[in-house]
Amino acid sequence: MKIHYLSKKEIKQYSSEIMEKTGLQFEPEKVLELDTSDVLIGDGFIIHDRKNGVLYPFLADKISDQLPHLQVDEGAAARIKQGANIMRPGIVKIDSRLKRGWPVMITDEKERLAIAISVMDYNEAIAAQKGVVAKNVHRQGDQAWNAIVEFIKKYHKPKD
């Protein structure tokens, strides 16, 4: 694990980019470098996919609750946990805040399943009968998930 602190300039740049691409307020302090992405660490975790230029919160982080949600049925849930994209026929609820290119929380009736990047806005998703609504970018057990869990175990000190 390679971890380094960010300069004030980098913090400002990342904070601005995170707000612009996700609508989330987040100020990172340090970076955990992975193969194809960086994990920005602050009061939580934001993943920056360097290859695709997308930013999204860690699935288990409280900040991810602020994202728009797509709820899927049981049949879709199992496939999404394995990395499948979110297809229109499996969606049962669409958050009106859904915005093309922004991250979205994928849930079923019981749990968080994944973070995806929407390829449609709300009106397009409502009108669609089939096709991909969001691309799965983060789920339990992926590289970012495993790195963050390892980081927490190794470095996180519980508050007294």
Side-chain angles (χ1 to χ4, degrees):
M1 259 191 246
K2 185 175 179 186
I3 302 169
H4 69 271
Y5 282 89
L6 296 168
S7 69
K8 288 183 181 183
K9 182 180 178 182
E10 290 171 316
I11 291 170
K12 187 175 180 179
Q13 287 173 332
Y14 270 125
S15 296
S16 177
E17 187 177 2
I18 291 165
M19 176 56 83
E20 181 183 313
K21 292 183 176 182
T22 69
L24 301 172
Q25 287 189 318
F26 186 82
E27 191 170 289
E29 298 169 0
K30 44 191 161 187
V31 174
L32 169 62
E33 294 179 22
L34 305 176
D35 293 338
T36 60
S37 59
D38 294 322
V39 178
L40 305 170
I41 304 166
D43 185 22
F45 304 92
I46 297 279
I47 300 153
H48 177 219
D49 180 331
R50 292 188 307 265
K51 181 181 175 189
N52 299 312
V54 295
L55 294 146
Y56 48 89
F58 177 50
L59 179 61
D61 204 337
K62 65 182 182 277
I63 196 169
S64 63
D65 289 335
Q66 296 174 33
L67 296 175
H69 287 60
L70 290 177
Q71 184 179 328
V72 298
D73 61 30
E74 283 184 41
R79 290 186 293 281
I80 290 167
K81 284 182 177 181
Q82 307 243 325
N85 289 328
I86 295 68
M87 306 298 285
R88 182 58 182 103
I91 299 172
V92 294
K93 286 186 185 174
I94 301 173
D95 191 316
S96 63
R97 300 175 296 149
L98 188 68
K99 188 172 177 178
R100 178 193 302 265
W102 280 32
V104 59
M105 168 74 73
I106 310 303
T107 64
D108 63 9
E109 286 187 5
K110 300 173 235 149
E111 64 182 328
R112 300 170 182 210
L113 304 172
I115 301 290
I117 302 297
S118 178
V119 297
M120 296 182 180
D121 64 23
Y122 172 75
N123 290 330
E124 292 170 317
I126 289 291
Q129 298 296 313
K130 60 183 179 175
V132 176
V133 173
K135 292 186 177 181
N136 194 334
V137 292
H138 174 53
R139 64 188 192 285
Q140 188 171 340
D142 69 13
Q143 183 188 34
W145 175 279
N146 293 335
I148 292 168
V149 168
E150 183 180 339
F151 173 85
I152 292 168
K153 286 178 183 175
K154 193 170 187 178
Y155 298 105
H156 187 272
K157 304 284 188 249
K159 296 178 182 177
D160 293 334

